[in-house]
Amino acid sequence: MSVLGPLFRWEAVESHFSDRARLQAMLDVEAALVRAQARAGLVPAPAAAAVAGQCSVDGFDLDALGRAAALAGNVAVPLVAQLRARVAREDAGAARYVHRGATSQDVIDTALVLQLRGALVPIRTELDDLAAVLARLARQHRATPMAGRTWMQQAAPTTFGLEVAGWLDAVDRHRERLSAAHRRVSVLQFGGAVGNLAALGEPAMTVAAALADELGLALPAVPWHTHRDRLAELATTIGLCLGTLAKIARDIALHAQTEVAELSEPVAPGRGTSSTMPQKRNPVGSAVVLAAAARVPGLVASVLGAMVQEQQRALGGWPAEWELLPETVSLFGGALHRLTRTVAGLHVDAAAMRRNLEASRGLVFAEAVQHALQDRLGDQARQVVEAACHRARQEDRHLRDVLVADPAVSAAAAPDELARLFDPMLHLGAADALVESVLAAHARHPAAAAAGGD
Amino acid sequence: MSVLGPLFRWEAVESHFSDRARLQAMLDVEAALVRAQARAGLVPAPAAAAVAGQCSVDGFDLDALGRAAALAGNVAVPLVAQLRARVAREDAGAARYVHRGATSQDVIDTALVLQLRGALVPIRTELDDLAAVLARLARQHRATPMAGRTWMQQAAPTTFGLEVAGWLDAVDRHRERLSAAHRRVSVLQFGGAVGNLAALGEPAMTVAAALADELGLALPAVPWHTHRDRLAELATTIGLCLGTLAKIARDIALHAQTEVAELSEPVAPGRGTSSTMPQKRNPVGSAVVLAAAARVPGLVASVLGAMVQEQQRALGGWPAEWELLPETVSLFGGALHRLTRTVAGLHVDAAAMRRNLEASRGLVFAEAVQHALQDRLGDQARQVVEAACHRARQEDRHLRDVLVADPAVSAAAAPDELARLFDPMLHLGAADALVESVLAAHARHPAAAAAGGD
Amino acid sequence: MSVLGPLFRWEAVESHFSDRARLQAMLDVEAALVRAQARAGLVPAPAAAAVAGQCSVDGFDLDALGRAAALAGNVAVPLVAQLRARVAREDAGAARYVHRGATSQDVIDTALVLQLRGALVPIRTELDDLAAVLARLARQHRATPMAGRTWMQQAAPTTFGLEVAGWLDAVDRHRERLSAAHRRVSVLQFGGAVGNLAALGEPAMTVAAALADELGLALPAVPWHTHRDRLAELATTIGLCLGTLAKIARDIALHAQTEVAELSEPVAPGRGTSSTMPQKRNPVGSAVVLAAAARVPGLVASVLGAMVQEQQRALGGWPAEWELLPETVSLFGGALHRLTRTVAGLHVDAAAMRRNLEASRGLVFAEAVQHALQDRLGDQARQVVEAACHRARQEDRHLRDVLVADPAVSAAAAPDELARLFDPMLHLGAADALVESVLAAHARHPAAAAAGGD
Amino acid sequence: MSVLGPLFRWEAVESHFSDRARLQAMLDVEAALVRAQARAGLVPAPAAAAVAGQCSVDGFDLDALGRAAALAGNVAVPLVAQLRARVAREDAGAARYVHRGATSQDVIDTALVLQLRGALVPIRTELDDLAAVLARLARQHRATPMAGRTWMQQAAPTTFGLEVAGWLDAVDRHRERLSAAHRRVSVLQFGGAVGNLAALGEPAMTVAAALADELGLALPAVPWHTHRDRLAELATTIGLCLGTLAKIARDIALHAQTEVAELSEPVAPGRGTSSTMPQKRNPVGSAVVLAAAARVPGLVASVLGAMVQEQQRALGGWPAEWELLPETVSLFGGALHRLTRTVAGLHVDAAAMRRNLEASRGLVFAEAVQHALQDRLGDQARQVVEAACHRARQEDRHLRDVLVADPAVSAAAAPDELARLFDPMLHLGAADALVESVLAAHARHPAAAAAGGD
């Protein structure tokens, strides 16, 4: 990882996307391929063992591979050549069985699938963790009143628990989506030069099935060299997930503003410090997530655009994916890990939430007050409350005081009755029931039952 | 529709996205809302009928709505005001029941859901049709040999049926995805000002359930005012679909090039003509699909970016969706309809496909020849064939003739044996079995069983 | 415009992008073409007059054009056919001079250039207005202290005038960019079928020059049918502008939050109201700008992607532009007009800005205090102030009080000296000079000198 | 660089974007800052020398920086801390002058500017080289006839030289744009915590000017911490350039198709080979350019979206740029270098171009023939030629033969006259003049005069 790596990425994911990991995955495919052909009787077992025995990235010359890949147009061509040479040194007869029947793209695509499959394991566990943390937080604050805000203005009272329940509900949907995308992307690519496995002759379909079995991947109906929808679907699913993570991060950052001060990110030595301002505690976790979210939609669009791949195997769309897909997963992994740690250590200031309900001097209760007065004043209530809001703002008074001073209102409701209308606890509506509904659905979530498996 | 509408769009979809359709859907939500409250005993049945009776877009002043929406920030505010005034003229007492307990976003979001649900019906039928047409084409050409092309170069022989089977296989996956997205997006939005249904008091959850029932929508665990993943998922699913449609369109355009001439788009008077060149027959269908595919990834990225919506109801991300989502569906609808019609009338020139297999003067058979010679020449075969390819290119001769003249080769294989290696029918590998495998999967497709339903 | 038009768009721009405006621009090109050929002696003057006389959109059948365009693949083919027929009815011999030497794309591209050129006139005037309004505001508030905020946290004191000067400085850069893009995009497209003007014979270059002259457009060195950089540059320039507009809008929305309340958007009846909350004054102007900014980067990416146009005239990339470019300009026009009006009527609450400087209980002065103490405490100052910040936060005390109570500090500075450190007016640094520097550059701005021309 | 680096990137550019280059640029800024303050008399010269003396990346612990940056939220915080510690070890009194008056973003932004400025030097030279190569090619093939192709169909004859002149003309425009963007982006960032340089007191503006001078950067009117248009403009300019590079690459790939075979990419051992097909020569250069073009528009959209940066210094938009901008320049550099080398070694097969003019059996001459016949047949010519084209296609005959057999035509033109109409050299229109016009403009290009300077 680069010096910015620890900031933006997560080691558990990155380890699947290093150069070594990429090449090892390709060698794993080559090893599986020769074993599958041995199972089909096409390759003598000792030769298969000789090939598989060389399929460790350790002895390969990565610099030479890079230079040769620049000429050949992909890294499989020189990797296969190096592998063949290494095998030949040990067992000249076995070299001919290297990469037999496959094309570069079979190896590169299947290796990418293996890398993605691996990277999604920690990601899905972390997303489960995030959901668990959110469930705890929602339960804890199901009765914590807070100003609900719309159009970035205080609107009406609600609870912090309901806000968090909304976050949780979305995260739980993403857990399902990611599970489905994980399953769908775990599919073998194997078609040979133009996708008809012509180089393998009769036993082609048997070899394909054995290869899928060796690698624990699904066997597709047909090779998908220029049909990238499964890969692209993983990217779009990540785009959807990250949209939600960034929504949560933006909410946290808004709650954490100095004048609002309802939430703060966890404190640790060196965390969120400034190079010049000694008081600073920057919401670093939110910033990392928002930065990722600023980047991933563009990557998703590129992946979708690159789907327009020509004929049997494409020209520019395919190489475009080689860095795009790992990058997409990597930024997501980093953001997810950051957000999970941030939410887990989030400091909630319920007193500040309560205090901010007073910031509008009663205006945040206007809708509730209007509803309450409608029973007594009928359709006139709306106009009365609108006028009172206007006056409260103009004269910088509390809405309650303006209403008490209004003869029409005071004729209909006693001052203490009016005062009670400004108690947030009386205007939370179905907030508690909705939190309950989300928590119940969360408890029933498939991933809750299964222990990490699909 | 604009003057470009018939070119880029499809009436069956557009009818769901006109101004009138948008407003009518909003009025349908208002009518359902008051009926739901009547079912819950909150509104007298005659008042509910009075409100519902005004919920037809016909009498509304659209210009005034547009101007007032520009001030208010959304079209629901003035629509509700107009509706209330219209109801009041008929039944003064009923006006107070208009829009009760709802917020603008409840109406706008649910109306959008209704529009999307409607537009997806013809789209899914058309996608079924496209699949059916492709299945027919794949079956028909399962034994039509063709040059497989990789990196936009002839690579090795394959069949046109296998190419089409690849198209079909992807389309069938999209049918599943679109079915799932259709189901997931068909969900009620109903939360009131800040998502806790506070204005409705105790019976809020009952009203919500009744409202979902009235509209035939699913009732979510919690309102989703700032959680847009279901809507965004529809956009990403369309992005995935369109990637495949455009891949097919690009393939058609490549096959249709003058020098290739293997496919041509259907001929009709005025279709694909030029303003200046009398001979022109432009592949208009492919162009429309590719133009849509150039635009939709950007729209998807915008939808994903707009997911970062603040707090209880958002500032800029939400209004961004109002045109983005209809536009995405609309461009997809137009492209899908065009492609389906184009593929249905596609002219396949199997003779040209066969002829083009000769364009490379035997080089397209190089891999097959090398495999065949490997049995006789062993590992030397690769070098021999590579050298022969090089010489064939240099001297502009047929690869077969170069090989015949090569003593090493002629020692190992008789000229007629060599000549037979250049028969494409002998190098189609598993093409037929793979087509069969796709067709079998297609026949088992869920949508094939169900008659248009989920 | 649709019912959402008045919200998102601006009539002064939209009038250039209606169907009628598009077709009239195309007819203007046809008229200029025949006049140019008359000037070159290729067409008899009366015939040219007969053709030009029919080049008014009024008599054309737009529905028929739309249907025929769907078949032909572009609207020029049927438009030319209708025009030819109309001319023939008046003057049979003149009909042959219609569209002579041109191709559809010449007419469609040049017409688009004319539309863009027209739409940029009100846009540039409005951008000048925005700059003027910002200059006034920056001057007015050059000494209005305010909490500077970084990472969405209060950081150190600054002035509102400096914030606005930053907005202005960027807007002035965009005025230059837009002027350059306006000039560069105002270029003739004229190349005939494949860009070599072959159909016109010898006088081709003369006709091209005359045509450019007729339309007041620059004559390019060579036709640019598949080189779209000038058009794309207009889109990217708009993307840059909108980034700044949206930055301003987001700042306004953040300042306008209930708990911050430093700015509010202009008040007008019906503006920013809610369908349910009587007190609401939503920042509608900011929302419209932010919504546009959520959409335009995706459009810009699509325009850039569509630049990959094939050969002499392209397949899908070109039609993709027909709606993309007008849409980009249209969303920008709407956002610009909104923001200009919003900023012109912005209410600035300097007292609230001052009050919010107290929100952090002195922490916003920490850097300034540390600098002041450095002279007396040396390098120790940093640690002392950091510790005091920590304690102030922990014990919820004012930083000043904590420092006064610190023996090391009180030994070095008297309480009233310390108290003076918390006066924002003493920590504004070069704010005033920087505002001056921006205003001076603004006064020198080329567009300030020229009255609307380049 | 990763193992894919040599394929997608260019060392001359990459060297500016390594971790070490990034940190060294930051240290260069710190050194210049302390020197500027020494010039302003704020720092004793020996102390300045002591600080500057430590500003070499060699002794820094990059792993520790990465880990600390992950906590702090940016790499400047720990870098400054390490620098301060290193200075203190040598000269305790000098440590206090490290990073004085600056904020993290001043250092990070200015360092990025330095990196970008450096990377643009080889890029601009390479773009000059590309233009020179294209000019040579255009001149060489100004009279090489070729089928002009529109909508991916043969349309009418033109010259390869004119196609190349179109490429050149666009590249020359990009040279101007890149020169302007290079100049505009080379600007100092220096504002302190909130952009008003408050920590430096009176001499702030003097220090800023001296710092700009030290680094050879322009001094802006005001710091631009949250105004990113200059950086974003570099990204959009690159997006525009790459659009043209990819258009050229796509054209090359289309010309290089087996059935067209008019161009081929340079041949070199190992270049464009396949892992399985011995005859393959894949157009690797074009593929690399097209892959970059599939990725950059999404990056540009992300950069534009990230412009919406909050208040005095932003939360997520700023960190998003740290990898986005280098990535954009890097992909462009790789693509540009590849394309320049590819075009420089391009093999043009003029005979194949000529041969392909016969592929349509005369139809490519239809427009020319119609024009020629118009003088003799009048308005009837269009119908006659259209009918002949239709028949030629139906009956698979040469258009010439169909016309000769048509009594109306043969009455008007003798067979040998008709035959001459099918000579491409007679239908090249203004192709040569247009090539000349582009070459003349190229010769006048500013960058042609100046030797590498602006």
Side-chain angles (χ1 to χ4, degrees), chain D residues 215-269:
Chain D
L215 295 166
L217 295 173
L219 179 68
V222 69
W224 44 278
H225 291 138
T226 44
H227 288 282
R228 318 302 289 178
D229 52 292
R230 295 175 183 98
L231 290 174
E233 187 184 26
L234 178 59
T236 61
T237 304
I238 284 174
L240 293 169
C241 292
L242 201 42
T244 293
L245 301 195
K247 184 266 186 290
I248 299 174
R250 177 158 290 283
D251 280 352
I252 292 174
L254 288 167
H255 279 297
Q257 294 172 99
T258 307
E259 295 84 355
V260 178
E262 296 175 344
L263 296 180
S264 51
E265 293 204 357
V267 177

Side-chain angles (χ1 to χ4, degrees), chain B residues 51-425:
Chain B
V51 172
Q54 295 298 328
C55 287
S56 161
V57 71
D58 287 332
F60 284 77
D61 178 344
L62 269 65
D63 285 342
L65 285 177
R67 285 190 306 272
L71 276 170
N74 74 61
V75 76
V77 170
L79 185 77
V80 167
Q82 275 200 31
L83 175 60
R84 203 173 269 135
R86 288 164 58 89
V87 172
R89 276 200 295 274
E90 299 293 316
D91 177 347
R96 82 183 61 167
Y97 299 114
V98 168
H99 191 65
R100 212 171 143 132
T103 193
S104 295
Q105 188 164 358
D106 292 335
V107 176
I108 291 173
D109 280 356
T110 304
L112 179 59
V113 162
L114 295 177
Q115 292 176 270
L116 295 171
R117 182 179 64 176
L120 285 169
V121 171
I123 281 176
R124 289 182 55 203
T125 304
E126 192 80 354
L127 201 61
D128 290 347
D129 282 1
L130 176 59
V133 169
L134 292 174
R136 206 153 46 230
L137 202 59
R139 192 172 298 112
Q140 200 174 340
H141 290 283
R142 61 195 300 168
T144 305
M146 178 189 90
R149 297 171 178 98
T150 69
W151 295 69
M152 292 182 69
Q153 295 288 310
Q154 286 198 7
T158 190
T159 65
F160 180 55
L162 182 54
E163 178 166 301
V164 176
W167 301 348
L168 169 62
D169 194 49
V171 167
D172 273 343
R173 283 193 293 280
H174 294 307
R175 290 163 73 204
E176 273 182 56
R177 288 189 186 102
L178 212 55
S179 159
H182 196 180
R183 187 171 36 75
R184 290 207 222 197
V185 86
S186 299
V187 61
L188 177 72
Q189 178 69 287
F190 186 53
V194 292
N196 59 13
L197 290 165
L200 281 176
E202 271 302 308
M205 303 290 267
T206 313
V207 171
L211 178 54
D213 182 63
E214 286 281 335
L215 295 167
L217 295 172
L219 179 69
V222 69
W224 43 278
H225 290 138
T226 44
H227 289 281
R228 318 301 290 178
D229 53 291
R230 295 177 184 97
L231 289 174
E233 187 183 27
L234 179 59
T236 60
T237 304
I238 283 174
L240 293 168
C241 292
L242 200 43
T244 293
L245 301 195
K247 184 268 186 288
I248 299 174
R250 176 158 293 283
D251 281 353
I252 291 174
L254 288 167
H255 280 295
Q257 293 173 100
T258 308
E259 295 85 355
V260 180
E262 296 175 345
L263 295 181
S264 50
E265 293 204 358
V267 178
R271 192 179 189 284
T273 51
S274 154
S275 68
T276 170
M277 289 169 287
Q279 91 280 15
K280 265 322 225 20
R281 285 210 209 135
N282 292 324
V284 173
S286 301
V288 165
V289 178
L290 290 167
R295 296 169 64 183
V296 162
L299 298 178
V300 171
S302 297
V303 169
L304 291 175
M307 285 181 71
V308 191
Q309 301 205 354
E310 297 91 0
Q311 302 168 327
Q312 275 59 51
R313 291 196 294 108
L315 190 65
W318 177 48
E321 295 170 359
W322 300 340
E323 296 182 331
L324 271 176
L325 286 164
E327 182 75 351
T328 306
V329 179
S330 164
L331 287 172
F332 174 52
L336 172 60
H337 183 59
R338 270 293 171 134
L339 188 67
T340 305
R341 294 308 125 209
T342 297
V343 174
L346 205 61
H347 179 251
V348 182
D349 188 340
M353 290 176 176
R354 192 113 198 186
R355 200 162 50 234
N356 287 331
L357 274 164
E358 274 307 296
S360 68
R361 314 203 71 194
L363 292 175
V364 75
F365 296 97
E367 189 202 28
V369 168
Q370 176 186 314
H371 275 278
L373 292 180
Q374 210 145 18
D375 297 340
R376 312 192 184 191
L377 299 176
D379 296 350
Q380 196 197 345
R382 190 181 175 87
Q383 278 165 287
V384 164
V385 177
E386 267 183 23
C389 289
H390 186 69
R391 173 167 297 185
R393 225 191 292 261
Q394 287 298 106
E395 304 174 1
D396 200 15
R397 293 163 63 200
H398 199 288
L399 177 60
R400 186 189 48 231
D401 301 337
V402 174
L403 288 169
V404 168
D406 182 322
V409 176
S410 58
D416 60 333
E417 274 183 289
L418 276 172
R420 267 201 303 280
L421 293 178
F422 291 80
D423 176 357
M425 299 311 285

Side-chain angles (χ1 to χ4, degrees), chain A residues 92-112:
Chain A
R96 82 183 62 167
Y97 300 114
V98 168
H99 190 66
R100 209 172 146 129
T103 192
S104 295
Q105 187 163 0
D106 292 335
V107 177
I108 291 175
D109 280 354
T110 304
L112 179 59

Side-chain angles (χ1 to χ4, degrees), chain C residues 230-268:
Chain C
R230 296 176 183 99
L231 290 174
E233 186 184 27
L234 178 59
T236 61
T237 304
I238 284 174
L240 293 169
C241 291
L242 201 43
T244 292
L245 301 194
K247 183 269 185 293
I248 299 175
R250 176 158 292 282
D251 281 353
I252 292 174
L254 288 167
H255 280 297
Q257 292 173 100
T258 307
E259 295 85 355
V260 179
E262 296 175 345
L263 296 180
S264 51
E265 293 204 358
V267 177

Side-chain angles (χ1 to χ4, degrees), chain A residues 51-306:
Chain A
V51 172
Q54 295 298 328
C55 287
S56 161
V57 72
D58 287 334
F60 284 77
D61 178 344
L62 270 64
D63 285 343
L65 285 177
R67 284 190 307 272
L71 276 171
N74 74 61
V75 77
V77 171
L79 184 77
V80 168
Q82 275 201 30
L83 175 59
R84 202 173 269 137
R86 288 164 59 87
V87 171
R89 278 200 293 275
E90 299 293 318
D91 177 349
R96 82 183 62 167
Y97 300 114
V98 168
H99 190 66
R100 209 172 146 129
T103 192
S104 295
Q105 187 163 0
D106 292 335
V107 177
I108 291 175
D109 280 354
T110 304
L112 179 59
V113 162
L114 295 176
Q115 292 176 271
L116 295 171
R117 181 178 66 175
L120 285 170
V121 171
I123 280 176
R124 288 182 57 200
T125 304
E126 193 79 356
L127 201 62
D128 291 347
D129 283 1
L130 176 59
V133 169
L134 291 175
R136 206 154 47 231
L137 201 60
R139 192 173 296 113
Q140 201 175 339
H141 290 285
R142 61 197 297 170
T144 303
M146 177 189 91
R149 296 171 179 98
T150 67
W151 293 68
M152 292 182 68
Q153 295 287 309
Q154 285 198 8
T158 189
T159 65
F160 180 57
L162 181 55
E163 179 166 301
V164 176
W167 300 349
L168 170 60
D169 193 49
V171 167
D172 272 343
R173 281 194 294 280
H174 294 308
R175 290 163 72 204
E176 272 182 58
R177 286 189 186 102
L178 213 53
S179 158
H182 196 179
R183 185 171 37 75
R184 290 208 221 196
V185 86
S186 299
V187 62
L188 178 72
Q189 178 70 285
F190 186 53
V194 292
N196 59 12
L197 290 165
L200 280 177
E202 271 303 307
M205 302 290 267
T206 313
V207 171
L211 178 54
D213 182 64
E214 286 282 335
L215 295 166
L217 295 173
L219 178 70
V222 70
W224 43 278
H225 290 139
T226 44
H227 289 281
R228 317 301 288 177
D229 52 291
R230 296 175 183 99
L231 290 174
E233 187 183 27
L234 179 59
T236 61
T237 303
I238 283 174
L240 293 169
C241 291
L242 201 43
T244 293
L245 301 194
K247 184 269 185 288
I248 299 174
R250 177 157 291 283
D251 280 352
I252 291 174
L254 288 167
H255 280 297
Q257 292 172 102
T258 308
E259 296 85 354
V260 179
E262 295 174 346
L263 296 180
S264 50
E265 291 202 357
V267 179
R271 192 179 190 284
T273 51
S274 155
S275 67
T276 169
M277 290 169 287
Q279 91 281 13
K280 267 318 231 16
R281 286 210 208 136
N282 292 324
V284 173
S286 301
V288 166
V289 179
L290 289 167
R295 297 169 63 183
V296 163
L299 299 178
V300 171
S302 297
V303 170
L304 290 175

Side-chain angles (χ1 to χ4, degrees), chain A residues 3 9 19 70 295 323 338, chain D residues 3 9 19 70 323 338:
Chain A
V3 74
R9 324 263 167 171
D19 272 353
R295 297 169 63 183
E323 295 182 333
R338 269 294 170 131
Chain D
V3 75
R9 324 262 167 173
D19 272 353
E323 296 182 331
R338 271 294 170 131

Side-chain angles (χ1 to χ4, degrees), chain D residues 105-453:
Chain D
Q105 188 165 358
D106 291 335
V107 178
I108 292 173
D109 280 355
T110 303
L112 179 58
V113 162
L114 295 176
Q115 293 176 271
L116 295 172
R117 182 178 65 175
L120 285 170
V121 172
I123 280 176
R124 288 182 56 202
T125 304
E126 193 79 356
L127 201 62
D128 291 347
D129 283 1
L130 176 59
V133 169
L134 291 175
R136 205 153 50 229
L137 202 58
R139 192 172 298 112
Q140 199 175 339
H141 290 285
R142 59 197 299 169
T144 305
M146 176 189 92
R149 295 170 179 99
T150 67
W151 294 70
M152 292 182 69
Q153 294 288 309
Q154 286 198 7
T158 190
T159 66
F160 180 55
L162 181 55
E163 178 165 301
V164 176
W167 300 348
L168 169 60
D169 193 49
V171 167
D172 272 343
R173 282 193 295 279
H174 293 307
R175 289 163 73 203
E176 274 182 56
R177 287 190 187 101
L178 212 54
S179 159
H182 196 179
R183 185 171 37 74
R184 290 207 221 200
V185 86
S186 298
V187 62
L188 178 72
Q189 178 69 284
F190 185 52
V194 293
N196 58 13
L197 290 165
L200 280 177
E202 271 304 307
M205 302 290 266
T206 313
V207 172
L211 179 54
D213 182 64
E214 286 282 335
L215 295 166
L217 295 173
L219 179 68
V222 69
W224 44 278
H225 291 138
T226 44
H227 288 282
R228 318 302 289 178
D229 52 292
R230 295 175 183 98
L231 290 174
E233 187 184 26
L234 178 59
T236 61
T237 304
I238 284 174
L240 293 169
C241 292
L242 201 42
T244 293
L245 301 195
K247 184 266 186 290
I248 299 174
R250 177 158 290 283
D251 280 352
I252 292 174
L254 288 167
H255 279 297
Q257 294 172 99
T258 307
E259 295 84 355
V260 178
E262 296 175 344
L263 296 180
S264 51
E265 293 204 357
V267 177
R271 192 179 190 285
T273 51
S274 155
S275 68
T276 169
M277 289 169 288
Q279 91 280 16
K280 266 320 226 23
R281 286 211 209 134
N282 292 324
V284 172
S286 302
V288 166
V289 178
L290 290 167
R295 296 169 62 182
V296 163
L299 298 178
V300 171
S302 296
V303 169
L304 291 175
M307 287 181 70
V308 191
Q309 300 202 356
E310 296 90 0
Q311 303 170 323
Q312 274 60 50
R313 292 197 294 106
L315 191 64
W318 177 47
E321 296 169 358
W322 300 339
E323 296 182 331
L324 270 176
L325 285 163
E327 181 75 353
T328 305
V329 179
S330 163
L331 287 173
F332 174 52
L336 172 61
H337 183 59
R338 271 294 170 131
L339 187 67
T340 304
R341 295 308 123 212
T342 297
V343 174
L346 203 62
H347 179 252
V348 182
D349 189 338
M353 289 177 178
R354 191 114 199 185
R355 200 163 50 236
N356 286 331
L357 275 163
E358 275 307 299
S360 68
R361 315 205 69 197
L363 292 176
V364 76
F365 296 97
E367 189 202 27
V369 168
Q370 176 187 313
H371 277 277
L373 292 180
Q374 210 145 17
D375 298 337
R376 316 195 181 187
L377 298 177
D379 297 349
Q380 197 197 345
R382 191 182 174 87
Q383 277 166 288
V384 165
V385 176
E386 267 183 25
C389 288
H390 186 69
R391 175 169 295 184
R393 222 190 294 262
Q394 288 297 107
E395 302 175 2
D396 201 15
R397 294 162 63 197
H398 198 288
L399 177 60
R400 187 187 48 231
D401 301 336
V402 174
L403 288 169
V404 168
D406 183 320
V409 177
S410 57
D416 60 332
E417 274 183 290
L418 277 172
R420 270 201 301 281
L421 293 178
F422 291 80
D423 177 356
M425 298 311 286
L426 302 180
H427 304 297
L428 300 176
D432 192 67
L434 291 165
V435 172
E436 186 52 46
S437 143
V438 170
L439 289 175
H442 173 70
R444 286 191 309 269
H445 196 281

